[in-house]
Amino acid sequence: MDTIAEMKRYFSFIALFCLMQGCGGSTTADGVASSGAAATVSIVVDNPNISDSSTGKSVGKSVDVAVNYSPVEDYSNMSVSKAVLSSLAPSTCTLTFSGADFTTFTASFSLPSGASSVTATLPLTAGSSRTICVSCPDSSGTTNGIEVGYNACTTTDLAAGANSVSMSTKFLNMITDDTSVLNFARINQESSSQTKIQLAFGSVLTDAQKTAMKCIVELDRSGSGTSFGSIDPDQSNGFTSATTGSRPNPYFLITGGVSRPVALFYDQYDYLYMRPTAAWSTTDSGNTMAVITYGITQNKTSVDTDQKGQWAVLCSLTGVTPWDRAPNSGYAKFDLSPNTNISTDTIASDGGSCTEARSGETCLSGICGSTSKCVAIRPGTQGHGRLLAGPDFGTTTADSTDGTGTAARFSSPRQACASPDGVNVFVTDGINHTIRQIVYSTGVVTTLAGTAGINGSTNATGAAARFSTPVGCVVDSTGANIYVAEFGNNMVRKVVVSTGVVTLVAGSGTGTRTDGTGAGASFNQPYGIAIDNAGNNLYVTEHSSNSVRQIVISSGVVTTLAVFSESVDLNCPHGIDIDSTDTYLYVANNACGSVSGNTIARINTSTGATSTIAGAGGLGNANATGSLLSMTFRGAEGIAVHPGDQGIYVSEAQGDRIRMLNLETGISYTISGSEDGSAGDEWSGSGTGSLYSNPALISIDATGSILYVADQSNNKIRKITQNSSDPS
């Protein structure tokens, strides 16, 4: 689909009707009476200028189409000129005439490019209450019986002689705009299971524009689809309020991302129902298009039971919040009810089974994780730090013993990172200088690589390999490889899960910050590590260089993405994780004893631009009640981004707790550990009744339901199974 630059003009028909008393009384269309009076009817279909900000915004838009009828008998040769409609490309229009005293008469005409007129004999009886309709559907992707296009209807009296009829076009399941932002929007159900919203932009978006993009798709479900109001400049009938809980209608909020956008569906009370699948695509002309896909059953149960009403769209490419601004369009109709092929799915709740191939179409949340389980869309606010492996509560003995559950021993574990399928959990065992493996279902612990108590930098297989204080770890999306940030060796290493083979990814071993390739690059005490969802890049925090480095996995090329400054409270970066769109990194700045730090930074992966999104700086226990910048930390250490992108989790080494930061509401919660930062070694049925001692880096599973915590001073690996209800 391409541009619709010509769709703002007038859409006019000039038709000469041969009414049957003046045409010899013969019937030339099925069911039409053979009596009447000759008349000329001029049909004009138009709209106010939608671009005029001084008046109410028009409903729908108009199109230049001129039709000139003259008496002929060959209906198959009818044609009509049209404006350039390469995005919305109807090939046929239909004129329908109806009245109480005769059978409805329908005449269709094709729209070949370049034609200037259409001629036909159109018999019709003059009289009162004659309904005239024109419909021009776009046939692409509408085999399910849903019409996408534009139409207009009016009812009037037709007298013998000259008549003039005016009516306004309404777009159906389509909204157009000729600005450089939104070019058109389209909603359809192209298959028996999917609902699809397409937002086509007027240009090829840059990464910066993709990141800044914000769109609102508002659905007036109570609108009948036939009676339209207008969008006033003061938004009294449109996007009326940016105040939480007082929106006029349910809506989709689509925000940008480098690898893909994110779509969220809210009701008018701002309750988050669903995160549909979102992806970048292109129009036929090569411009950028955002495609939002979700299930028909989800549409009927969560979005709109009747599947029809009115809708409007508003987009910004500059990061401006779309609320309280004029839409990029007027309202148009949406009607998905004619789809006769609707398939009813069983919609699963969080943790229920789903099919990855269908993304989240069978999940209430709209997200199907890599384990074929539905992912919670909202981050949890409570959790219990149960034991996965290591000494039982009340015992903190450090050792390197392989075993099952409480029989296994660790020595200052630094991070536990899970495979995407959740089958295995891998541990960087810091003082033992080893990489350990835990089978989640049984708690069986083995040593995958390295030998306990012997440090070094040897690349080899299994026990023959050597590490020096491995800290951060991350597993790639295939589950085949573990990447390890080695604090002691100033290197990043790879461990093959199936064989235990250890190889160098990058790092010379010299403690400096030097960009380069493979062993030609240097790190200064690498600490945390993250991998993007595409599996192309690693991101590493450097404890002593106050920086974040990027490694291209395929080539080993290392560059410096961001350097922090103590002056802006970004000091001593430790934990790092990335959002699901690969747009932002989140970094826990530990402060390492400095007065500056104890904040959470966000870094744009494309530009390296850095901002503080949480933490007032300095030490404290305060939670946030509306602004994350007001909260305080005690040694922000580990960080994990919830797969729904709505929240992040932070472990505090000196605060001895794990907190959840809701990025949407600006509220934070202590989900596990003491509110006042008390240390201990205890599990409780209450989240805040569980105690930790120097919790290190954390990670989250693919379903967003389990956090893994390396309880460092207690020499345990703990799992926090969350309560996903969010009182905010």
Side-chain angles (χ1 to χ4, degrees):
M1 291 186 241
D2 302 314
T3 61
I4 311 183
E6 302 297 326
M7 295 190 99
K8 70 178 182 180
R9 300 176 183 163
Y10 293 104
F11 174 10
S12 64
F13 282 88
I14 302 173
L16 174 66
F17 291 90
C18 180
L19 299 179
M20 292 317 301
Q21 280 188 345
C23 296
S26 63
T27 301
T28 57
D30 186 25
V32 179
S34 60
S35 63
T40 300
V41 182
S42 176
I43 306 172
V44 180
V45 188
D46 59 15
N47 275 299
N49 184 358
I50 195 168
S51 299
D52 185 357
S53 61
S54 65
T55 62
K57 292 293 181 180
S58 164
V59 177
K61 286 192 174 182
S62 52
V63 184
D64 278 343
V65 180
V67 184
N68 181 26
Y69 286 93
S70 60
V72 297
E73 295 185 2
D74 186 359
Y75 295 101
S76 63
N77 291 328
M78 291 190 297
S79 63
V80 62
S81 64
K82 63 172 184 174
V84 179
L85 303 177
S86 53
S87 287
L88 177 64
S91 58
T92 303
C93 287
T94 301
L95 285 169
T96 303
F97 305 89
S98 59
D101 56 340
F102 64 92
T103 303
T104 297
F105 174 84
T106 300
S108 296
F109 53 90
S110 60
L111 295 174
S113 176
S116 60
S117 65
V118 58
T119 58
T121 300
L122 297 175
L124 183 65
T125 303
S128 60
S129 300
R130 298 312 193 217
T131 299
I132 304 172
C133 295
V134 59
S135 175
C136 300
D138 174 10
S139 59
S140 61
T142 57
T143 55
N144 50 15
I146 295 173
E147 180 180 320
V148 176
Y150 52 91
N151 54 38
C153 282
T154 191
T155 299
T156 188
D157 296 339
L158 289 182
N163 293 266
S164 179
V165 177
S166 295
M167 51 186 165
S168 297
T169 55
K170 305 293 191 301
F171 282 93
L172 178 61
N173 300 320
M174 170 73 78
I175 296 174
T176 68
D177 186 65
D178 58 355
T179 70
S180 60
V181 180
L182 182 70
N183 190 221
F184 70 87
R186 172 180 170 135
I187 186 170
N188 197 8
Q189 289 173 342
E190 297 176 3
S191 71
S192 61
S193 62
Q194 286 185 343
T195 303
K196 182 181 290 185
I197 297 174
Q198 296 164 305
L199 303 177
F201 299 94
S203 62
V204 178
L205 301 189
T206 65
D207 282 352
Q209 288 176 316
K210 285 183 176 180
T211 301
M213 184 272 289
K214 292 182 180 179
C215 292
I216 295 171
V217 177
E218 182 183 352
L219 302 173
D220 178 8
R221 299 180 297 187
S222 62
S224 65
T226 58
S227 176
F228 293 89
S230 63
I231 307 299
D232 296 330
D234 64 1
Q235 311 319 301
S236 62
N237 291 319
F239 298 94
T240 56
S241 177
T243 305
T244 300
S246 60
R247 317 290 192 197
N249 293 299
Y251 61 94
F252 289 89
L253 176 63
I254 299 102
T255 55
V258 174
S259 65
R260 64 175 178 80
V262 171
L264 301 169
F265 176 71
Y266 296 85
D267 69 7
Q268 62 266 45
Y269 306 107
D270 293 289
Y271 181 81
L272 178 59
Y273 267 94
M274 176 177 61
R275 192 185 84 179
T277 300
W280 293 119
S281 184
T282 56
T283 64
D284 291 345
S285 64
N287 289 337
T288 303
M289 179 165 62
V291 180
I292 315 303
T293 307
Y294 53 101
I296 287 180
T297 305
Q298 289 170 323
N299 192 67
K300 294 186 69 175
T301 57
S302 296
V303 180
D304 182 23
T305 302
D306 295 329
Q307 299 201 96
K308 58 183 177 180
Q310 301 175 138
W311 67 315
V313 181
L314 171 60
C315 287
S316 167
L317 297 179
T318 60
V320 176
T321 301
W323 294 116
D324 294 321
R325 297 177 61 243
N328 296 124
S329 68
Y331 273 114
K333 295 184 290 185
F334 73 88
D335 188 356
L336 305 177
S337 60
N339 190 346
T340 58
N341 298 318
I342 292 176
S343 63
T344 302
D345 290 313
T346 299
I347 302 296
S349 299
D350 296 347
S353 297
C354 56
T355 304
E356 284 186 69
R358 292 192 60 195
S359 299
E361 293 172 26
T362 58
C363 294
L364 187 65
S365 67
I367 313 173
C368 182
S370 58
T371 58
S372 297
K373 300 291 183 182
C374 293
V375 176
I377 192 171
R378 288 173 295 277
T381 59
Q382 300 177 40
H384 315 300
R386 292 180 172 88
L387 181 67
L388 179 61
D392 206 351
F393 292 107
T395 304
T396 62
T397 305
D399 207 328
S400 59
T401 308
D402 289 340
T404 301
T406 56
R409 293 292 182 268
F410 302 90
S411 186
S412 191
R414 306 305 292 272
Q415 185 165 16
C417 50
S419 58
D421 59 10
V423 172
N424 295 300
V425 179
F426 303 97
V427 179
T428 49
D429 202 357
I431 292 180
N432 279 328
H433 309 297
T434 55
I435 308 300
R436 313 288 290 280
Q437 179 174 343
I438 307 172
V439 178
Y440 180 84
S441 60
T442 63
V444 171
V445 179
T446 55
T447 301
L448 178 62
T451 297
I454 304 176
N455 67 348
S457 59
T458 305
N459 291 317
T461 300
R466 296 290 181 263
F467 298 90
S468 181
T469 318
V471 176
C473 66
V474 67
V475 186
D476 68 12
S477 61
T478 68
N481 303 297
I482 311 164
Y483 294 93
V484 178
E486 267 193 283
F487 186 87
N489 276 331
N490 296 306
M491 296 175 179
V492 174
R493 313 276 288 282
K494 181 177 82 171
V495 183
V496 178
V497 172
S498 61
T499 62
V501 171
V502 178
T503 55
L504 176 71
V505 176
S508 65
T510 302
T512 60
R513 187 178 71 224
T514 305
D515 291 344
T517 300
S522 296
F523 298 89
N524 197 350
Q525 295 184 320
Y527 204 97
I529 188 168
I531 188 171
D532 63 19
N533 297 275
N536 295 327
N537 300 285
L538 295 169
Y539 298 93
V540 180
T541 57
E542 284 185 295
H543 171 90
S544 293
S545 288
N546 271 3
S547 61
V548 172
R549 313 289 292 283
Q550 178 176 347
I551 307 172
V552 179
I553 294 175
S554 60
S555 64
V557 171
V558 180
T559 54
T560 301
L561 179 65
V563 179
F564 298 154
S565 169
E566 291 187 30
S567 63
V568 288
D569 292 328
L570 302 175
N571 182 28
C572 202
H574 278 188
I576 186 170
D577 202 2
I578 194 167
D579 72 5
S580 68
T581 71
D582 293 336
T583 302
Y584 292 112
L585 294 162
Y586 292 88
V587 178
N589 291 283
N590 183 278
C592 298
S594 171
V595 294
S596 299
N598 280 296
T599 57
I600 305 301
R602 187 175 71 177
I603 304 173
N604 186 304
T605 58
S606 295
T607 66
T610 302
S611 61
T612 301
I613 59 104
L619 298 174
N621 302 314
N623 270 316
T625 58
S627 171
L628 296 177
L629 292 172
S630 67
M631 69 183 302
T632 52
F633 298 95
R634 300 180 66 87
E637 178 72 5
I639 197 163
V641 179
H642 185 271
D645 291 325
Q646 298 300 292
I648 57 176
Y649 300 89
V650 179
S651 60
E652 294 174 78
Q654 286 75 55
D656 299 301
R657 61 186 164 228
I658 288 83
R659 292 203 267 185
M660 189 280 285
L661 285 58
N662 190 309
L663 299 174
E664 184 181 30
T665 65
I667 298 173
S668 66
Y669 307 87
T670 300
I671 67 166
S672 194
S674 172
E675 292 276 13
D676 63 7
S678 299
D681 179 29
E682 185 176 333
W683 173 81
S684 169
S686 165
T688 55
S690 297
L691 299 179
Y692 300 82
S693 183
N694 193 19
L697 301 180
I698 59 176
S699 62
I700 193 166
D701 77 335
T703 69
S705 59
I706 302 175
L707 277 170
Y708 295 98
V709 182
D711 194 357
Q712 187 174 188
S713 294
N714 285 328
N715 295 305
K716 294 175 172 60
I717 304 301
R718 311 223 353 218
K719 59 179 182 179
I720 301 176
T721 305
Q722 302 172 78
N723 171 4
S724 63
S725 62
D726 189 339
S728 67

